[in-house]
């Protein structure tokens, strides 16, 4: 093992670590205005994103504890992109915040944890990464320092995460007991479907489902999303879910392949339940963040359908969809966070006649919602279509039929928002918002992503070429 | 000829509209774009004839295929036959007419024309697609603009209608999607021509045909999924009503024919009696429901349900003549209903009422509009010389070729509906156009302006051309329908 290899394999983690230290030094140094800090940080995050694409190499480190492949590098790059976009969007909120640097330190620590989690080749490493990505997040959820709701959200997040971690840890220990190893590659050989192994596997799955808020482990989502600051909500619903889903795909497809006959029916049932429950709850929400919370639960259901296909198309579609989901959900959150930071309004009913005062933001929000709903020519259409194609590979047409009909239900609530924006009357619409440069840039990137990721097939082909299935 | 131009031109027009300011610029760009599109359609027709005359008998002409998503066997594959060209010409004429009648749309004009052009883009793409994914992609593109068009610029209970229409059509496409998935996993291909060469087992066809057929049927007002039609049409602004009846409902008919029947002919046979039953109910129910309507837009909307029943009937009867008739009826109904809605829109914009009871004697104050209205009505009731007669006659003749008693009964019943049609059309036309002027304010009203005259003229030319010289369009769509019929015929002989 050359020292150079060490640096190249760990480059994304190292870059984040360097940024973290830089932030600490900046904090210790002389006082700067928030504006200049935000510029510095966003440039750093952008460089971090770009750096992710250079010098990729596959390999393992630390006795198989840490592994990286081109696909994993891509997954991390998606997260890098997402965090950069979120950071740009929260400009309006952070501009006046007292603890700007601490916020970024917390956020980047969780990102580092996620990177280690995605790269983990060992259950302990995985657990370590997961915890590292959860605990700072709870602190970040509390970042609206003088809001009770925010503390409540943080409390709920930490308790439910602790609970799911306990489940996960219990599963891991039982799995270790039955197989005698923690390394993923060796674990596969020892999996034989013994009842205790199945039990431990179910515990492990529950831990996973908790993190991605699949039904019936979704109850914490809406409250936490509503209470947390919009930036953190966006982070929770996009980045932290995406990271766990990335691990989920690779772990299921490689390590737990021998147990496929167990997790396939589980995935089918839970995916449908997740879609249906997410949809039904989203129907009646008025708070925008709660609304997006439930709609994101439904989106996770669709992703689970793609995962259940367990083919190369399945993996590719899941990662492709997550990329699209990053763009569409962040575009929606971007508009909401702007409105929320500048006017304090977060309800859908406040958005009535939004078009009369803010046409540009209205169109961006509409395009984002259409993409979430899966309307062509937005990328969301391609994403959902491919997920369902992957899910149909096993001939399970009931699954596909129910999912397709659920898309219709989801149309109702997405169109309801569109209706409020364009068609409803409102005596006091939200005043005209002047969009600061950074959020504007983020929104444009999101819209470009929504339009191009679907129509340009290169993205999918690239992801496909990196994916594996079985 | 490069067919992608048909998609690129509307796209270019739509993008240009986004950079325009003010009603005048926007509408001129929209009109220029749509006229160019119509010219392109006519040019396509000419090139198509030339190609056919050189003896090129392949089912699809001007094919173009490029891989889109290789891992999933998705290609951007386009091509046209006579049926597609007829549909493209129909769409192009309706778009030009629709833009002309919305010439004075003040409210959010940029968005309005953008959505109209965008909708037409979906329709063009749909009609030239030979790949199921591409087809589905364009089908869905054509749905959402309708929601916004009705919701923003509509009247009456527009929120309800817009939502109902969007959800029902989306449910339709969800069903279509399941059908497509079934075909895809059975054949491993999404290419329409390729799939038509393979044989899908009967049980599979029987399972997936209903999904595809009902899915597209919802677009084409298949009973009992027609309920979006009256509300949607009545609440929509004039141009959107024209687009709905003239373009959107044709997407459904074309899909039923090109996808459901063409790819799964065995199942089409097995289920033909159900299709015919539903079509007959739609024809008769639609006709009687129209009798009870008092609002001109509702009259036309319900009569659309009845007339679109003929399309479904023609497809369900599965003889060459009846399929031919179904296509004719699609074109004829598209032109005629668009004309009807245009006339109603012109009347409404002047009198501010669409109630038959409140209108009367319009011929005296606005002779041009009234004449257009009467022409549309007469075409609708199937007067010889107009397209409606040719189309309905062909459907009936084709249907009668089935010797089965049930089928003949259905044919007779559907024929009888024409009498009912005559009753409601003549009553409505007589009351609104003839007789004494009911309101003295009407005396101040003006007749059609140039844009409205032009819009009506374009549509009337189409109607009369088909009515007087039906052989022209028959020659155009003949090879296409024959191709579809052969597919169906193969299915019969296999049994």
């Amino acid at each position: 093992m050359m020292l150079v290899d060490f640096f190249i394999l760990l480059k994304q983690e190292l870059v984040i670590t360097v940024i973290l230290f830089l932030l600490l030094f900046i904090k210790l140094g002389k006082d700067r205005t928030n504006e200049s800090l935000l510029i510095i940080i966003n440039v750093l995050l952008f460089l971090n994103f770009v750096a992710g694409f250079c010098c990729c190499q596959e390999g393992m480190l630390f006795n198989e504890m840490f592994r990286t492949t081109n696909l994993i590098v891509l997954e991390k790059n998606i997260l890098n992109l997402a965090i950069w976009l979120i950071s740009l969007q929260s400009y309006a909120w952070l501009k006046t915040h007292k603890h700007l640097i601490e916020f970024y330190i917390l956020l980047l620590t969780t990102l580092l944890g996620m990177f280690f989690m995605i790269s983990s080749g060992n259950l302990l490493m995985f657990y370590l990464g997961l915890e590292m990505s959860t605990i700072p997040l709870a602190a970040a959820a509390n970042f609206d320092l003088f809001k009770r709701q925010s503390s409540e959200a943080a409390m709920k997040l930490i308790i439910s995460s602790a609970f799911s971690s306990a489940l996960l840890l219990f599963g891991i220990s039982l799995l270790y007991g039955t197989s005698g190893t923690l390394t993923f590659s060796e674990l596969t050989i020892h999996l034989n479907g013994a009842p205790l192994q199945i039990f431990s596997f179910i515990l492990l799955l529950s831990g996973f489902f908790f993190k991605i808020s699949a039904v019936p482990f979704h109850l914490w989502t809406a409250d936490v999303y509503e209470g947390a600051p919009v930036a953190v909500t966006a982070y929770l619903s996009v980045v932290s879910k995406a990271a766990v889903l990335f691990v989920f795909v690779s772990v299921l497809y490689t390590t737990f392949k021998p147990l496929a006959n167990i997790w396939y029916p589980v995935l089918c049932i839970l995916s449908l339940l997740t879609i249906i429950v997410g949809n039904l709850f989203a129907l009646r929400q008025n708070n925008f963040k709660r609304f997006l919370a439930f709609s994101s639960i439904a989106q996770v259901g669709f992703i689970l359908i793609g995962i259940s296909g367990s083919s190369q198309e399945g993996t590719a579609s899941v990662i492709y969809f997550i990329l699209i989901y990053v763009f569409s959900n962040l575009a929606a959150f971007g508009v909401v966070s702007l409105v929320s930071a500048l006017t304090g309004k977060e309800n859908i009913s406040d958005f009535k006649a939004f078009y009369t005062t803010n046409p540009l933001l209205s169109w961006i929000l509409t395009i984002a919602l259409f993409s979430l709903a899966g309307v062509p020519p937005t990328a969301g259409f391609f994403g959902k279509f491919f997920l369902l194609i992957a899910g149909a590979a096993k001939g399970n047409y009931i699954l596909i039929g129910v999912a397709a009909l659920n898309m219709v239900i989801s149309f109702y609530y997405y169109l309801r928002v569109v209706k409020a924006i364009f068609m409803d009357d409102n005596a006091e619409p939200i005043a005209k918002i002047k969009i600061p440069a950074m959020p504007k840039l983020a929104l444009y990137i999101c819209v470009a992503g929504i339009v191009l990721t679907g129509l340009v097939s290169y993205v999918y082909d690239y992801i496909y070429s990196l994916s594996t299935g079985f | 000829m490069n067919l992608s131009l048909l998609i690129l031109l509307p796209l270019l027009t739509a993008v240009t509209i986004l950079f325009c300011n003010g009603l005048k610029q926007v509408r001129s760009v929209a009109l220029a774009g749509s006229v160019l599109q119509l010219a392109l359609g006519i040019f396509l027709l000419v090139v198509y004839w030339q190609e056919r005359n050189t003896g090129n008998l392949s089912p699809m002409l001007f094919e173009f295929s490029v891989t889109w998503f290789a891992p999933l066997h998705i290609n951007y594959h386009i091509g046209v036959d006579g049926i597609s060209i007829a549909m493209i010409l129909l769409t192009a004429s309706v778009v030009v007419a629709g833009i002309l009648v919305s010439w004075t749309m003040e409210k959010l004009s940029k968005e309005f024309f953008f959505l109209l052009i965008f909708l037409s883009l979906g329709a063009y793409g749909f009609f030239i697609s030979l790949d199921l994914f591409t087809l589905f992609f364009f089908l869905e593109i054509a749905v959402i603009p309708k929601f916004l068009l009705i919701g923003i610029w509509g009247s009456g209970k527009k929120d309800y209608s817009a939502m109902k229409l969007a959800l029902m059509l989306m449910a339709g496409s969800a069903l279509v999607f399941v059908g497509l998935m079934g075909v895809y996993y059975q054949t491993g291909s999404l290419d329409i021509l390729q799939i038509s060469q393979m044989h899908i087992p009967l049980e599979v066809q029987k399972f997936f045909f209903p999904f595809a057929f009902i899915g597209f049927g919802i677009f084409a007002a298949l009973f009992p999924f027609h309920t979006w039609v009256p509300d949607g049409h009545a609440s929509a602004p004039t141009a959107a009503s024209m687009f709905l009846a003239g373009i959107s409902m044709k997407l459904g008919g074309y899909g039923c024919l090109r996808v459901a029947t063409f790819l799964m002919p065995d199942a089409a046979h097995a289920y033909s009696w159900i299709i015919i039953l539903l079509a007959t109910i739609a024809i008769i129910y639609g006709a009687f429901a129209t009798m009870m309507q008092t609002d001109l837009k509702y009259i036309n909307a319900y009569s659309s349900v009845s007339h679109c029943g003929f399309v479904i009937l023609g497809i369900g009867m599965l003889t060459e003549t009846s399929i031919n008739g179904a296509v004719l009826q699609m074109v004829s109904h598209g032109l005629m209903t668009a004309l009807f809605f245009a006339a109603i829109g012109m009347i409404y914009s002047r009198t501010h009422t669409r109630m038959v009871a409140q209108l009367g004697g319009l011929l005296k104050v606005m002779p041009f509009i009234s004449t257009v209205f009467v022409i549309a009505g007469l075409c609708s009731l199937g007067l010889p010389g107009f397209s409606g007669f040719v189309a309905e006659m062909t459907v009936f003749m084709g249907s009668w070729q089935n010797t089965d008693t049930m089928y003949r009964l259905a044919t007779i019943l559907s024929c009888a509906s024409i009498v009912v049609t005559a009753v409601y059309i003549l009553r409505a036309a007589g009351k609104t156009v003839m007789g004494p002027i009911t309101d003295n304010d009407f005396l101040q009203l003006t007749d059609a302006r140039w844009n409205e005259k032009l819009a009506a003229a374009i549509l009337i030319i189409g109607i009369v051309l088909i009515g007087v010289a039906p052989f022209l369009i028959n020659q155009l769509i003949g090879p296409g329908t024959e191709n579809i019929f052969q597919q169906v015929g193969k299915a019969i002989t296999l049994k």
Side-chain angles (χ1 to χ4, degrees):
Chain A
M1 174 61 63
M2 304 255 298
L3 197 61
V4 182
D5 283 347
F6 173 80
F7 279 111
I8 290 182
L9 289 176
L10 267 174
K11 61 165 178 158
Q12 283 164 308
E13 288 76 8
L14 289 175
V15 172
I16 296 282
T17 318
V18 168
I19 296 178
L20 274 172
F21 277 106
L22 269 179
L23 288 179
L24 278 178
F25 283 124
I26 294 173
K27 178 73 188 171
L28 291 175
K30 67 175 170 117
D31 276 346
R32 288 166 194 272
T33 57
N34 273 2
E35 300 241 358
S36 60
L37 279 178
L38 276 167
I39 293 173
I40 296 174
I41 292 171
N42 279 316
V43 169
L44 283 177
L45 286 177
F46 175 67
L47 292 178
N48 168 43
F49 168 61
V50 176
F53 287 98
C54 335
C55 343
C56 304
Q57 193 181 323
E58 304 198 338
M60 304 224 197
L61 280 178
F62 314 130
N63 200 8
E64 280 196 39
M65 287 276 257
F66 181 94
R67 72 202 160 88
T68 184
T69 63
N70 283 334
L71 185 67
I72 289 178
V73 171
L74 176 75
E75 290 170 349
K76 290 177 185 169
N77 281 335
I78 294 178
L79 298 187
N80 274 336
L81 171 70
I83 202 164
W84 179 50
L85 290 175
I86 293 173
S87 159
L88 286 176
Q89 286 175 351
S90 27
Y91 172 81
W93 173 62
L94 286 172
K95 207 172 51 179
T96 53
H97 206 288
K98 267 203 313 214
H99 302 283
L100 172 80
I101 296 204
E102 285 88 335
F103 179 73
Y104 277 103
I105 290 177
L106 287 174
L107 222 53
L108 288 174
T109 315
T110 65
L111 189 69
L112 193 60
M114 283 168 199
F115 281 3
F116 279 116
M117 179 171 77
I118 294 175
S119 278
S120 60
N122 178 303
L123 277 170
L124 271 187
M125 187 68 176
F126 164 72
Y127 181 74
L128 215 66
L130 188 76
E131 284 305 294
M132 193 167 159
S133 71
T134 333
I135 296 169
L137 205 53
N142 195 10
F143 239 67
D144 266 342
L145 294 174
F146 303 102
K147 262 197 195 166
R148 278 179 73 118
Q149 264 193 325
S150 188
S151 330
E152 186 194 325
M155 212 58 204
K156 277 182 177 158
L157 182 61
I158 194 78
I159 289 175
S160 59
S161 305
F163 183 64
S164 76
S165 298
L167 284 181
L168 206 65
L169 214 51
F170 189 30
I172 291 175
S173 62
L174 286 181
L175 213 54
Y176 182 64
T178 57
S179 64
T181 177
L182 285 170
T183 315
F184 284 146
S185 54
E186 287 175 32
L187 205 57
T188 319
I189 309 164
H190 294 289
L191 284 178
N192 50 16
L196 191 58
Q197 275 184 357
I198 294 174
F199 177 63
S200 57
F201 174 64
I202 295 289
L203 286 175
L204 212 65
L205 266 189
S206 311
F208 271 116
F209 285 136
F210 229 110
K211 298 291 179 198
I212 57 174
S213 64
V215 173
F217 307 103
H218 65 288
L219 293 163
W220 59 276
T221 322
D223 289 343
V224 173
Y225 281 22
E226 188 183 2
V230 186
V232 179
T233 309
Y235 190 80
L236 270 171
S237 84
V238 176
V239 181
S240 83
K241 262 187 198 175
V244 179
L245 279 165
F246 287 146
V247 185
F248 197 47
V249 179
S250 59
V251 168
L252 271 190
Y253 284 5
T254 53
T255 312
F256 292 100
K257 203 161 89 178
L259 298 180
N261 56 342
I262 294 170
W263 54 255
Y264 178 68
V266 172
L267 272 186
C268 285
I269 296 169
L270 286 194
S271 61
L272 283 188
L273 270 180
T274 307
I275 297 176
I276 293 172
V277 171
N279 272 344
L280 291 184
F281 278 91
L283 283 177
R284 303 204 65 81
Q285 300 304 325
N286 188 28
N287 181 289
F288 223 114
K289 288 196 284 181
R290 278 187 92 86
F291 167 79
L292 285 173
F294 281 111
S295 96
S296 79
I297 291 178
Q299 305 281 352
V300 165
F302 280 100
I303 294 176
L304 290 182
I305 286 185
I307 294 179
S308 79
S310 64
S311 53
Q312 193 178 354
E313 286 90 3
T315 320
S317 308
V318 169
I319 292 164
Y320 180 62
F321 185 82
I322 289 174
L323 175 64
I324 293 165
Y325 177 73
V326 165
F327 287 128
S328 359
N329 224 15
L330 287 186
F333 270 116
V335 176
V336 176
S337 78
L338 258 184
V339 173
S340 150
L342 298 177
T343 66
K345 291 180 178 175
E346 283 181 0
N347 286 338
I348 293 176
S349 52
D350 295 329
F351 278 77
K352 283 181 179 174
F354 190 48
Y355 189 66
T356 51
T357 47
N358 295 289
L360 179 68
L361 285 180
S362 300
W363 275 119
I364 292 174
L365 186 55
T366 308
I367 291 174
L369 291 175
F370 280 163
S371 181
L372 287 173
V375 175
T378 60
F381 169 77
F382 294 87
K384 281 218 172 118
F385 197 98
F386 296 166
L387 280 180
L388 293 185
I389 286 189
K394 291 235 165 109
N396 199 340
Y397 294 107
I398 299 172
L399 184 71
I400 302 309
V402 177
L405 286 179
N406 264 284
M407 277 181 76
V408 181
I409 301 181
S410 71
F411 271 118
Y412 173 75
Y413 56 77
Y414 289 122
L415 288 182
R416 205 167 59 100
V417 181
V418 176
K419 174 174 152 300
I421 294 172
F422 284 94
M423 303 167 197
D424 287 346
D425 298 322
N426 191 351
E428 300 169 41
I430 294 169
K432 175 130 189 68
I433 290 172
K434 193 171 173 307
I435 316 171
M438 284 192 210
K440 205 177 210 169
L441 175 66
L443 289 175
Y444 283 153
I445 293 173
C446 287
V447 170
I450 289 173
V451 175
L452 293 179
T453 320
L455 292 172
V456 181
S457 59
Y458 172 75
V459 183
Y460 183 80
D461 290 344
Y462 178 65
I463 296 176
Y464 185 82
S465 68
L466 298 180
S467 310
T468 50
F470 75 88
Chain B
M1 179 182 156
N2 191 344
L3 289 175
S4 297
L5 281 178
L6 283 171
I7 306 172
L8 284 178
L9 187 59
L11 188 65
L12 211 67
T13 317
V15 172
T16 320
I17 286 177
L18 287 184
F19 291 103
C20 290
N21 284 314
L23 174 65
K24 278 188 179 152
Q25 277 185 27
V26 169
R27 69 186 180 192
S28 359
V29 171
L31 183 66
S34 60
V35 168
L36 270 180
Q37 186 82 6
L38 182 61
L40 198 63
I42 294 170
F43 178 68
L44 175 65
L45 179 70
V46 174
V47 195
Y48 175 83
W49 276 126
Q50 280 172 355
E51 190 72 20
R52 279 278 185 247
N53 285 337
T54 58
N56 189 344
L57 290 176
S58 55
M60 293 289 167
L61 294 185
F62 314 119
E63 273 185 64
F64 172 78
S65 180
V66 59
T67 311
W68 198 357
F69 292 95
L72 299 167
H73 313 284
I74 291 171
N75 298 310
Y76 169 72
H77 184 189
I78 50 176
V80 286
D81 65 353
I83 304 179
S84 331
I85 293 184
M87 291 299 153
I88 288 166
L89 284 172
L90 165 70
T91 309
S93 336
V94 173
V95 173
V96 175
I99 284 169
L100 280 171
V101 298
S102 353
W103 203 241
T104 50
M105 175 58 73
E106 295 285 354
K107 183 182 173 191
L108 300 177
S109 50
K110 189 194 277 188
E111 290 81 351
F112 184 77
F113 286 104
F114 174 79
L115 289 173
L116 284 187
I117 298 286
F118 201 69
L119 204 169
S120 75
L121 182 146
Y124 291 122
F126 180 83
F127 289 132
I128 59 174
S129 299
L130 290 179
D131 179 272
L132 290 176
F133 177 82
T134 319
L135 183 118
F136 187 70
F137 173 76
F138 284 116
L139 177 73
E140 289 220 338
I141 281 192
V143 174
I144 288 303
K146 291 174 216 164
F147 171 77
L148 294 170
L149 281 171
I150 297 176
I152 301 177
W153 292 273
S155 56
K157 43 177 186 172
K158 54 178 185 164
D159 292 348
Y160 168 78
S161 309
M163 194 59 98
K164 186 174 180 180
L165 174 136
L167 291 185
M168 285 192 76
L169 294 190
M170 277 299 170
S173 32
L175 292 178
V176 169
F177 174 76
V178 177
L180 298 192
M181 280 298 98
V183 172
Y184 174 57
Y185 275 104
Q186 191 59 41
T187 59
S189 165
L190 280 168
D191 191 292
I192 292 182
L193 295 180
Q194 234 173 47
I195 296 171
S196 70
Q197 300 301 321
M198 302 180 201
H199 185 73
I200 306 174
L202 180 63
E203 311 82 63
V204 180
Q205 287 194 18
K206 272 188 141 172
F207 187 76
F208 288 109
F209 179 82
F211 284 102
F213 197 88
I214 296 176
F216 282 118
I218 294 179
F219 281 80
L222 174 75
F223 183 87
F225 307 105
H226 63 281
T227 49
W228 64 271
V229 179
D231 292 321
H233 282 70
S235 307
T238 305
S241 300
M242 292 166 68
F243 274 43
L244 268 182
I247 302 172
S248 302
M249 290 174 79
K250 305 304 163 280
L251 301 178
Y254 182 86
C256 284
L257 201 58
R258 175 79 79 210
V259 177
T261 312
F262 187 56
L263 298 185
M264 295 179 267
D266 295 316
H269 264 287
Y271 289 121
S272 76
W273 66 276
I274 302 182
I275 300 173
I276 289 168
L277 187 70
L278 292 180
T280 316
I281 295 177
I283 291 169
I284 295 171
Y285 162 80
F288 277 105
T290 318
M291 294 254 278
M292 302 304 295
Q293 303 305 319
T294 52
D295 182 325
L296 280 178
K297 269 200 164 179
Y298 270 102
I299 290 183
N300 198 16
Y302 271 105
S303 87
S304 277
V305 173
S306 174
H307 286 306
C308 278
F310 287 117
V311 177
I312 306 282
L313 184 76
I315 296 172
M317 285 293 180
L318 289 176
T319 66
E320 194 179 343
T321 321
S322 75
I323 293 177
N324 217 348
V327 177
L328 275 175
Q329 174 72 359
M330 276 198 261
V331 179
S332 153
H333 174 260
L335 292 170
M336 164 193 97
T337 319
L339 182 67
F340 221 144
F341 275 121
I344 295 171
M346 294 176 205
I347 294 176
Y348 179 67
S349 67
R350 289 171 172 75
T351 62
H352 302 291
T353 177
R354 298 190 308 238
M355 290 300 163
V356 177
Q358 293 170 11
L359 294 165
L362 294 182
L363 193 58
K364 298 189 185 86
V365 284
M366 34 179 122
F368 185 86
I369 297 176
S370 307
T371 317
V372 170
F373 185 73
V374 172
I375 289 178
L378 294 180
C379 179
S380 171
L381 64 77
L383 192 77
F386 294 123
S387 61
F389 173 74
V390 176
E392 282 169 20
M393 201 62 198
T394 320
V395 173
F396 293 142
M397 273 163 44
S399 306
W400 196 254
Q401 286 170 357
N402 276 314
T403 45
D404 188 275
T405 323
M406 262 287 294
Y407 286 26
R408 290 226 156 142
L409 192 66
T411 315
I412 294 171
L413 284 172
S414 318
C415 273
S417 80
I418 291 191
V419 182
V420 187
T421 311
V423 173
Y424 64 73
I425 291 289
L426 291 178
R427 205 168 57 181
K431 174 75 182 64
T432 33
V433 175
M434 315 287 179
I437 292 178
T438 44
D439 193 331
N440 282 333
D441 292 345
F442 289 176
L443 290 169
Q444 319 296 326
L445 299 178
T446 51
D447 203 4
R449 281 181 302 274
W450 67 270
N451 53 315
E452 293 168 328
K453 284 183 182 166
L454 197 59
I458 290 170
L459 296 174
I460 291 176
I461 289 174
I463 291 174
V464 174
L465 201 66
I466 298 175
V468 177
F471 56 89
L472 284 178
I473 187 161
N474 264 330
Q475 276 172 5
L476 177 64
I477 64 176
T481 50
E482 199 184 312
N483 193 19
I484 292 174
F485 177 67
Q486 271 173 4
Q487 189 75 6
V488 179
K490 242 191 286 176
I492 304 174
T493 44
L494 274 175
K495 275 186 196 163

